[in-house]
């Protein structure tokens, strides 16, 4: 694995996240399912890392495990996840708990869920959903909220009036963009996005992908994008990690993975991508 | 003698208070024919809310259109005799969009397959049935022992969708109405699935109405394509023609939005979809309210 | 068996130490030591004292100590006390009744009470059948009333009767209520509330508090008859007791009530645990509990006198009196209460001849004769299966229900199945009046003498099943000989010696036919608390009827003395 | 696809639909007003239906209230005469019991709607039933209303906590306690409370509504006395009521906990209390508001017994007395009032709900 | 057999359900065998007969719970009363659930004006306070049979079941698996029975339990003011007797405590079954099951 620093100078570690030997198991009545097995992965500061892999390969499980949102019967059975937030001492994400974890969340580690109907609180206005997270973690910004929220919305191509709306008044794409804006509101070190575009139309998917790329440019966040769509990876990410049956089979630069896959499974994956004869327009 | 499925001037309106007209037209004067001979794949593409699923429901006889008719073998499917109806049901089968809701959470996933076996009399013996099921599961690259006996929530979306494919594989109808069957699948399974569909066409002579918003899939399948927006079919023709020389601006936009699986061929220009957003938001506003019934 | 009953004395048989009474704070607006507090039923009306419309003057709210009767007949002593009136007299033809009034009598507002008030009241009721208490006998008998002077009224009767004065004697609760003419004249008697009431009694209404369910009566300082009656308590408070027996009993124990508000079981417990201030006085209800037997042939086997005797043999009066009725009471043989005044109607020789006993064997014998069992073991009468329908107006597990329940169980043992239904109000009333029952477990009607009762049982008053009996002969008893006797007795003074043989004859016919079965004398003990007041009537010195909802209670209030106990701060 | 279809074809644009007119147009322009009108119409239909059903229910029952009345009076030894035909006819007319049932119905409804007149009461003749009811209503509202509201608030808050902290010891105790106690009859608790606080400890009075030494009025003494006398009955309702609200709130809460937005809120690192109140509770308390509206009707049910036990001069006691004497006008009146208040409460809630919950679309 | 294992598995998955069912089972067994138990208690005498024994005996070896004001054995009373209460609950629960479910399915599945009429009617019945009506009914017909009381109570309790279930039917009928069943040639009734009904089981269970509880409680309420049906002893009547006779201050606690404890247990058991069912059948809850 390449260890070339990609983040800003002055950070202690070139990596935002170092996952070592992560095992996640779901215990079911029919025995345990190992959804993630012995996974080692380092996320570089400032990069967009794609996680690819077929359905059921454990991508979502990895995401929720990293976010510490894993619910029973899922359980992390082994491994460590070293997280290096900027300006703070590194922590093992799997060990922190309670208040410590809560403080870490969003200001350092945020989450971009699938843009489904249900991630926004249906009874709160969009602006309130911004406010509560900002005030929670950065109360000092209270005064500037009035301009901060429109600015964040503008960043993802939404009008300020969206702030006054309720989630059910928004389309899927708009919701997804609101989620994106919320995700970067506190300029976290790392944003984990689980299938950020899966539920959306192609046209909107493209817009969202553009905005995601913008986020990195504008906020310098590190992004971990989970998707089963190789097209998304090809268009968006710097590096791809390919998962298969809970294992990481290949990590590499996006070009290298697409042009010269090393692992036989990756090769198969690339081959099976439906190709269009040509690009329209 | 195999029959034809024909839509003639189908229009589907839904009541919707809160929009000026009092209703929305989800499907607007749609006509097309699906022929069983020769077997073909016809794709229907369009963005979310354009009326694709509604057409599928019309064709499947789940929803009676407000105007126009769906004809099977020249007869209105809502006026079939008992035996004609049986034949129609046997011949026209769906693969639905949402692999989560397609399973009754109360039952194991096996039931869907067994039900098909029993309802359509595929075989009477239990062991034969099981054999059939396992065969079909393998055909969609599922290990029978991994899925049989499980409850839907214990399977991933992809696994569930593939079970639905296995069902169709088992039934081998003349027409498959596939409503976004691959949107939840990863590329590999998707390709495999599409291959199966093409196989079905070739080997079992099945005609597929393939509904999707994904043009690359359409391209892969080939055959004919219809582009739908706002309930109207705006463009139709052989895939190669439509893809290479799109004439409707909407088709162009669609084509331009596909993420190419080639890192060297990244988008350079930006698109804006504000007008789309508006459209979509309108459609949303018109849709029935979420299930929070007033008591 | 077991460790005895909850209310028993402590087991070690030592005499129980006298408990000290913990005096509670009664919730009343007048000084405790000057008040008698009486626990009573639930009141609903607090502002109407017009007894001629529904629910005016709820019974038991104390109106009885505010108004007075013309004559008081005490069943406790047998004494007839002239009060507002001083004497009554019939002419020889019994077509004229002359009543003299006490010249001292006056209303609580100071106006004199005269024969004119009496006339006013009688005429009002005679002419207004739509008023409660109106019509009826007054309409039947009163031709006119002449008032020769303010102290005398002469009632001219339409036909001869030796019993018309019964109407003006307070014998049991209720009774004739003379209205002050100057207050009522010109009022609409169906609307007028007469609140506060103007009457002649020793107490006046001070306050009626709806939210406390309470009536506070205050001594009338200008009472007209202080010479004969000087009541002790300055205030008498009638209050609804708690629906919870626990709470009610506790209130009594804490002397928050002087009268009532406790049941026998708790009283027994108090007695046995050494409570020093409980005075229990037995007094029997004027109505024994009875079973009305339907004598109409259309009802089948129950119309057979033998069947009624068989039922009589199945009636375990001892057990009912001992274990079913809340207090221990004697069995009843005659259909009237065992008051001293009723002694003269008895005939023990007859009672012995027709001996009432619990004897299922005899019952079986009779039953096998009149309704033998068929092959399936069912008793058949005239081709129909025997099944008796018992009804009662009492609630489930109420006294009369329980009596019927005991009978039902014992009947079942001799092969007579029965259904028992507790029916309320009008449903019971309708069934009962229309004769749609076999046995009705309730109470006998009150009569001053047996002949008065018998006149209701005459054949011509027996309606066919399904037709309303209008209160007469509800058991459809038909006996020509009995009718004859009853008619003769109706015109006769029942106490006259020539009436006795007729009465005995009628009684024998009653015994032979048993149109109603007396079950038990109805014991309603009165409970008095002696913390604040003493001198209550006792079993040994039953100087007056102890029931507080009878008009006679003013005489009790005239006898009791304060103990000097002060109420809690 | 048909063979003759041209290779590519652009379908013409559809003409705009003609602008709608009339009522429908007005309704679509003022959806909220239209909803309110429709909802109010439904309210009227329901009100009429419920009142009608109640009327016929009572009238079609066997038995004759006038006979009943006379019988009950006779049992009290007040009258030693039979009721004359004149009496029966007179009261039959007065109580609206003459004529056939449909004309009775029309008369009843007319009086009810035009004059709010429920006819004379029997338990307190000749006071009209509405006066009898109105006299006891304040007590019931004061005692039962306040206790019910209190129970609701406590129940929803604790229920939310119990759901939220599923699995934690405290919440399990609370949940299991609620499961066990939520259906314990009120009067049981009432009796226990009376036994302990009134009998054994003697701290609180166990009957009546205030000290009769104090004249009712707006004085400090009186209010203190009201509170003192209302504490035990109130408490017995609050205790049990709270438990059942806890249980139902928890039931509503638990599915909400599985919602994505809660996971999202957790990922946001919000304080648990905030997630509980702003995310979880806000999404599940609305049904409880509606449920509360409906439960108001049950104040007339179970809580009747509490008033009974405490001799509280409220509607419940009035109702039971009325029932024991088969006072139809009053019973029907109480029923009518219950119907009216529940329907009105639900109507108001329905009109308010869209304001409280943006998801509730008023035009649905 | 497969059903049995499924049931067993379900029970294993939810201790609440298991405990609730166990309590219910014991109660039902006691109820079923109550005539035998009563007989066993009384020996040669019928312990429920009036004046069978002395009144108000304290609990002792002969009368484990003492006797009541009529000299009946309280234990025997409680046992047979439990059976009566369960019966009334079962009758009313069954009737109102069946009616409620049918109305809900017709309204919810058919929709349109049928739904409108049925829902409005249900809504109307829902707001009529039942207690006055029940009291009035029973005041007139005190001696109606148990079954009639059950019917009476269910007249007013089915709307609750109908309402909740209708809402569920509405949300379920548009589920894709319903569509799938339809294209698999399932008839309406079959869909209702096999696709909708099982998913509604928890709701139906809740509906049944609450109607049953409502009926039992309603009857107790009637008894507490002395208006219960005659001829039978139910738990409420024992409580009524206890209140009416002031058993608490007499010290006759069994008359009071035992029926209340039984009722509470019964309520708790039914509740636990409900919650258990909910947990087992609601996949969402399964996913986050943290207890
Ligand atoms: N709650 C659960 N209980 C049991 N097994 C589970 C659970 N959730 C996930 N799994 C299993 O864990 C494995 C990984 O699932 P995961 O959801 O992480 O896959 P994924 O890569 O996100 O798939 P997809 O692309 O379909 O979302 C799968 O085999 C799945 O069956
Ligand atoms: N039962 C219904 N009642 C009212 N409106 C409906 C109903 N079903 C669909 N619609 C509306 O009809 C329009 C077309 O819906 P449809 O589901 O056919 O779109 P689609 O093309 O399948 O979209 P997607 O790609 O999101 O599945 C939408 O605006 C939708 O809101
Ligand atoms: Mg996933
Ligand atoms: Mg669709």
């Amino acid at each position: 694995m390449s260890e070339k620093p990609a983040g800003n100078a002055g950070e202690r570690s070139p990596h935002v996240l170092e996952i070592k030997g992560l095992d996640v198991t779901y215990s079911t009545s029919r025995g345990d399912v190992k959804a993630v097995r012995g996974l080692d992965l380092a996320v570089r500061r400032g990069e967009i890392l794609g996680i690819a892999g077929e359905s059921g390969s454990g991508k979502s499980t990895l995401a929720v495990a990293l976010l510490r949102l894993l619910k029973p019967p899922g359980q992390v059975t082994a491994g460590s996840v070293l997280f290096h937030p900027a300006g703070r001492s590194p922590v093992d994400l799997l060990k922190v708990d309670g208040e410590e974890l809560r403080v870490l969340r969003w200001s350092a580690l945020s989450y971009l869920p699938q843009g489904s109907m249900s991630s926004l609180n249906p009874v709160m206005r969009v602006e309130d959903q911004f406010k509560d997270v900002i005030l929670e973690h950065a109360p000092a910004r209270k005064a500037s909220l009035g301009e901060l929220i429109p600015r964040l919305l503008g960043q993802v191509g939404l009008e300020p009036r969206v702030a006054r709306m309720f989630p059910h008044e928004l389309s899927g794409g708009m919701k997804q963009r609101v989620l994106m804006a919320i995700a970067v509101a506190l300029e976290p070190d790392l944003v984990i996005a689980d299938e950020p575009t899966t539920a959306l139309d192609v046209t909107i998917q493209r817009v969202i992908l553009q905005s995601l790329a913008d986020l990195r440019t504008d906020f310098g966040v590190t992004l971990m994008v989970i998707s089963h769509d190789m097209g998304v990876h090809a268009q968006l990410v710097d590096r791809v990690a390919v998962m298969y049956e809970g294992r990481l089979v290949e990590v590499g630069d996006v070009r290298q993975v697409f042009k010269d896959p090393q692992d036989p499974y990756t090769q198969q994956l690339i081959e099976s991508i439906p190709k269009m004869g040509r690009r329209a327009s | 003698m195999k029959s034809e499925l024909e839509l003639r001037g189908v229009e589907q309106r839904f009541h919707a208070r809160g929009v000026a007209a009092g209703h929305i037209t989800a499907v607007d004067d749609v006509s097309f024919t699906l022929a069983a001979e020769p077997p073909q794949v016809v794709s229907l593409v369009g963005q979310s809310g354009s009326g694709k699923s509604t057409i599928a429901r019309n064709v499947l006889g789940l929803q009676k259109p407000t105007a126009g008719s769906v004809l099977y073998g020249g007869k209105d499917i809502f006026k079939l005799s008992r035996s004609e109806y049986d034949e129609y049901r046997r011949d026209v089968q769906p693969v639905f969009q949402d692999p989560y809701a397609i399973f009754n959470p109360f039952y194991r996933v096996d039931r869907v397959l067994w039900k098909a076996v029993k309802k359509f009399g595929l075989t009477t013996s239990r062991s034969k049935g099981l054999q059939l099921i396992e065969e079909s599961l393998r055909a969609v690259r599922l290990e029978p022992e991994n899925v049989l006996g499980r409850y839907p929530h214990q399977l991933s979306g992809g696994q569930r969708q593939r079970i639905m494919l296995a069902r169709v594989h088992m039934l081998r109808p003349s027409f498959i109405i596939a409503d976004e069957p691959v949107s939840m699948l990863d590329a590999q399974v998707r390709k495999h699935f599409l291959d199966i569909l093409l196989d079905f066409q070739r080997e079992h002579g099945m005609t597929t109405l393939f509904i999707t918003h994904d043009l690359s899939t359409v391209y892969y399948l080939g055959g004919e394509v219809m582009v739908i927006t706002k309930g109207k079919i705006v463009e139709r023709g052989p895939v190669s023609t439509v893809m290479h020389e799109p004439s409707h601006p909407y088709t162009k936009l669609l084509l331009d939005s596909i993420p190419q699986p080639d890192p060297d061929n990244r988008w350079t220009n930006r698109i804006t979809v504000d007008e789309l957003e508006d459209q979509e938001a309108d459609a949303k506003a018109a849709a029935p309210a979420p299930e929070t019934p007033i008591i | 068996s077991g460790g005895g009953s909850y209310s028993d004395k402590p087991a070690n048989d030592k005499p129980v130490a006298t408990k000290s009474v913990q005096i509670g704070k009664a919730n009343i607006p007048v000084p405790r030591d000057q008040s008698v507090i009486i626990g009573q039923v639930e009141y609903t009306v607090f502002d109407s004292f017009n007894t001629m419309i529904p629910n005016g003057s709820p019974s038991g709210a104390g109106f009885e100590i505010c108004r007075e009767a013309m004559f008081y007949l005490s069943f406790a002593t047998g004494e007839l006390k002239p009060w507002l009136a001083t004497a009554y007299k019939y002419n020889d033809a019994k077509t004229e009744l002359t009543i003299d009034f006490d010249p001292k009598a006056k209303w609580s507002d100071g106006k004199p009470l005269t024969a004119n008030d009496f006339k006013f009241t009688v005429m009002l009721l005679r002419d207004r059948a739509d008023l409660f208490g109106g019509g009826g006998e007054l309409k039947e008998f009163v031709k006119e009333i002449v008032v020769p002077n303010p102290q005398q009224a002469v009632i001219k009767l339409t036909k001869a009767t030796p019993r018309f004065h019964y109407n003006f004697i307070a014998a049991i609760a209720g009774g004739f209520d003379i209205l002050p003419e100057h207050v009522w004249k010109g009022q609409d008697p169906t609307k007028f509330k007469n609140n506060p009431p103007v009457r002649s009694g020793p107490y006046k209404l001070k306050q009626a508090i709806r939210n406390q369910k309470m009536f506070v009566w205050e001594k009338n300082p200008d009472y007209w008859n202080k010479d004969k009656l000087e009541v002790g308590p300055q205030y008498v408070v009638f209050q609804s007791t708690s629906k919870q027996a626990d709470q009610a009993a506790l209130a009594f124990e804490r002397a928050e009530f002087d009268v009532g508000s406790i049941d026998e079981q708790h009283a027994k417990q108090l007695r046995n645990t050494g409570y020093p201030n409980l005075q229990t006085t037995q007094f029997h209800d004027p109505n024994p509990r009875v079973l009305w037997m339907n004598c109409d042939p259309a009802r089948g086997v129950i119309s057979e006198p033998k069947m009624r005797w068989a039922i009589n043999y199945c009636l375990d009066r001892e057990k009912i009196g001992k274990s079913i009725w809340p207090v221990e009471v004697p069995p009843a043989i005659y259909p009237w209460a065992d008051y001293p005044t009723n002694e003269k109607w008895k005939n023990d020789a007859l009672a012995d001849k027709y001996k009432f006993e619990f004897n299922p064997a005899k019952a079986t014998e009779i039953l096998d004769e009149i309704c033998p069992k068929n092959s399936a073991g069912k008793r058949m009468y005239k081709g129909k299966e025997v099944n008796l329908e018992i009804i009662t107006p009492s609630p489930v597990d109420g006294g009369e229900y329980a009596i019927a329940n005991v009978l039902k169980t014992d009947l079942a043992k001799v092969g007579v199945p029965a259904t028992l239904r507790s029916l309320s109000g009008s449903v019971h009333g309708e069934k009962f009046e229309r004769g749609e029952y076999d046995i009705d477990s309730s109470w006998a009607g009150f009569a001053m003498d047996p002949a008065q009762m018998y006149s209701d049982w005459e054949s011509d008053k027996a309606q066919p099943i399904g037709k309303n009996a209008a209160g007469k002969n509800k058991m459809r008893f038909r006996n020509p000989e009995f009718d004859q006797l009853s008619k003769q007795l109706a015109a006769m003074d029942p106490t006259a010696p020539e009436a006795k043989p007729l009465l005995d004859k009628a009684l024998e016919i009653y015994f032979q036919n048993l149109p109603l079965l007396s079950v038990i004398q109805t014991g309603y003990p009165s409970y008095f608390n002696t913390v604040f007041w003493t001198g209550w009537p006792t079993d040994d010195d039953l100087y007056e009827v102890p029931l507080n909802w009878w008009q006679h209670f003013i005489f009790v209030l005239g006898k009791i003395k304060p103990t000097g106990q002060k109420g809690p701060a | 696809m048909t063979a003759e279809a041209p290779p590519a074809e652009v379908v013409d644009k559809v003409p705009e639909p003609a602008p709608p007119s009339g009522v429908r147009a007005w309704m679509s322009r003022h959806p909220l007003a239209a909803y309110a009108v429709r909802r109010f119409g439904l309210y009227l239909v329901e009100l009429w239906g419920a009142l009608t059903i109640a009327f016929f229910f009572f009238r079609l029952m066997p038995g004759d209230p006038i006979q009943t009345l006379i019988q009950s009076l006779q049992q009290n030894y007040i009258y030693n005469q039979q009721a004359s035909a004149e009496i029966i006819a007179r009261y039959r007319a007065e109580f609206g019991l003459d004529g056939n049932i449909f004309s009775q119905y029309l008369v009843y409804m007319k009086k009810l709607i035009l004059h709010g007149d429920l006819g004379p009461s029997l338990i307190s003749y000749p006071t009209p039933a509405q006066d009898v009811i109105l006299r006891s209503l304040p007590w019931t509202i004061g005692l039962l209303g306040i206790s019910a509201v209190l129970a609701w608030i406590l129940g929803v808050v604790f229920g939310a906590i119990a759901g939220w902290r599923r699995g934690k010891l405290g919440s399990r105790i609370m949940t299991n306690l609620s499961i066990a106690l939520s259906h314990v009859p009120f009067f049981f608790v009432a009796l226990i409370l009376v036994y302990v606080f009134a009998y054994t400890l003697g701290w609180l009075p166990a009957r009546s509504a205030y000290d009769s030494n104090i004249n009712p009025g707006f004085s400090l003494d009186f209010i203190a006395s009201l509170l003192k006398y209302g504490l035990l009955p109130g408490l017995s309702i609050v205790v049990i009521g709270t438990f059942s609200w806890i249980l139902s709130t928890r039931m509503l809460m638990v599915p909400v906990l599985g919602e994505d937005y809660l996971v999202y809120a957790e990922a946001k690192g919000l304080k648990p209390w905030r997630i509980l109140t702003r995310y979880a509770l806000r999404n599940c308390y609305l049904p409880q508001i509606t449920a509360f509206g409906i439960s108001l009707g049950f104040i007339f049910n179970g809580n009747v017994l509490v008033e009974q036990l405490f001799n509280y001069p409220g509607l419940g006691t009035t109702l039971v007395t009325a029932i024991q004497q088969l006072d139809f006008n009053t019973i029907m009146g109480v029923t009518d009032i219950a119907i009216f208040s529940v329907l009105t409460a639900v109507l108001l809630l329905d009109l308010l709900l869209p304001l409280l919950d943006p998801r509730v679309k008023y035009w649905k | 057999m497969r059903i049995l294992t499924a049931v067993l598995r379900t029970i294993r998955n939810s201790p609440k359900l298991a405990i609730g069912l166990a309590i219910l089972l014991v109660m039902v067994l006691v109820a079923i065998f109550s005539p035998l138990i009563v007989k066993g208690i009384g020996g040669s005498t019928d312990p429920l007969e009036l004046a069978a024994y002395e009144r108000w005996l304290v609990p002792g070896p002969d009368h484990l719970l003492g006797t009541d004001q009529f000299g009946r054995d309280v234990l025997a009373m409680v046992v047979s009363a439990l059976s009566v209460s369960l019966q009334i609950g079962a009758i009313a629960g069954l009737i109102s659930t069946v009616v409620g479910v049918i109305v809900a399915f017709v309204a919810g599945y058919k929709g349109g004006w049928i739904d409108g009429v049925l829902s409005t009617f249900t809504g109307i019945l829902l707001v009529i306070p039942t207690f006055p009506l029940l009291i009035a009914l029973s005041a007139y017909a005190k001696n109606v049979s148990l079954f009639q009381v059950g019917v009476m109570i269910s007249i007013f309790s089915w709307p609750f079941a109908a309402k909740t279930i209708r809402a569920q039917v509405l949300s379920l009928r548009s589920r894709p698996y319903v569509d799938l069943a339809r294209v698999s040639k399932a008839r309406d009734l079959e869909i209702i029975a096999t696709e909708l009904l099982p998913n509604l089981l928890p709701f139906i269970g809740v509906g049944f339990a609450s109607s049953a509880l409502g009926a039992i409680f309603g009857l107790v309420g009637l008894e507490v003011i002395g208006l219960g049906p005659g001829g039978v002893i139910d738990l409420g009547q024992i409580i009524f007797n206890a209140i009416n006779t002031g058993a608490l201050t007499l010290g006759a606690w069994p008359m009071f405590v035992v029926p209340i404890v039984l009722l509470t247990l019964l309520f708790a058991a039914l509740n636990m079954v409900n919650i258990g069912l909910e947990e087992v059948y609601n996949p969402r809850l399964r996913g986050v099951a943290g207890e």
Side-chain angles (χ1 to χ4, degrees), chain E residues 122-190:
Chain E
T122 314
I124 286 172
L125 279 189
L126 217 50
V127 297
I128 300 180
T130 55
F131 204 58
L133 304 197
L134 277 182
I135 296 178
L137 255 181
S138 51
Y140 270 126
K142 266 187 277 184
N143 265 71
V144 291
S145 71
L146 206 57
F147 181 74
Q148 285 167 307
V149 174
V151 173
M152 256 159 50
I153 294 179
S154 21
I155 292 175
F156 298 104
S157 61
W158 68 261
F160 285 91
K163 197 177 105 98
T164 38
I165 295 169
R166 175 183 163 272
Q168 292 304 317
V169 173
L170 277 185
S171 88
L172 286 185
R173 70 163 181 193
S174 57
R175 294 284 158 95
Y177 56 75
V178 173
D179 285 343
L180 185 69
R182 281 165 73 186
V183 299
S184 300
K185 295 207 292 191
R187 309 245 165 266
D188 279 3
L189 265 180
E190 186 182 345

Side-chain angles (χ1 to χ4, degrees), chain A residues 201, chain B residues 13-16 24-27 46-55 57 63 97 179-180 211 213 228 283-284 286-288:
Chain A
D201 272 359
Chain B
R13 288 179 169 191
F14 291 112
H15 284 289
I24 53 164
T25 310
V27 176
Q47 78 193 88
S48 180
S50 56
K52 306 183 297 290
S53 297
T54 308
I55 291 178
R57 291 175 57 79
Q63 178 112 50
Q97 183 169 10
D179 187 359
E180 313 234 18
I211 296 174
H213 59 253
I228 182 171
K284 282 279 154 14

Side-chain angles (χ1 to χ4, degrees), chain E residues 274-290:
Chain E
N274 281 345
I275 295 175
L277 277 179
E278 185 83 66
E279 276 173 5
V280 172
Y281 286 112
N282 189 338
R284 250 195 188 154
L285 295 188
R286 271 184 291 208
V288 295

Side-chain angles (χ1 to χ4, degrees), chain B residues 13-113:
Chain B
R13 288 179 169 191
F14 291 112
H15 284 289
R17 293 194 186 86
V19 290
H23 61 82
I24 53 164
T25 310
V27 176
D28 194 355
D29 191 21
V30 166
S31 306
F32 62 84
T33 306
L34 291 178
E37 294 294 349
Q40 53 183 320
V41 174
V42 178
S43 304
L44 183 62
V45 279
Q47 78 193 88
S48 180
S50 56
K52 306 183 297 290
S53 297
T54 308
I55 291 178
R57 291 175 57 79
N58 288 144
V59 173
L60 285 165
L62 295 172
Q63 178 112 50
K64 197 172 189 309
T66 39
S69 48
V70 181
L71 307 175
Y72 172 71
K75 292 217 177 87
D76 191 320
I77 57 164
F78 292 96
K79 293 175 188 152
L80 295 178
S81 72
R82 178 123 199 151
S83 62
E84 286 167 338
Y85 179 80
D86 281 352
E87 193 191 334
Y88 158 72
R89 270 283 166 258
R90 180 75 175 76
D91 262 9
V92 184
Q93 280 293 322
V95 176
F96 285 120
Q97 183 169 10
D98 183 352
Y100 291 91
I102 198 67
F103 286 94
N104 192 334
F106 188 78
Y107 299 107
R108 290 163 211 253
V109 295
D110 319 20
R111 178 168 175 275
V112 162
L113 301 172

Side-chain angles (χ1 to χ4, degrees), chain D residues 156-171:
Chain D
V156 168
V157 168
F158 283 108
I161 295 174
W164 177 246
R165 298 181 56 86
R166 263 153 59 90
K168 299 279 173 7
L169 187 70
S171 108

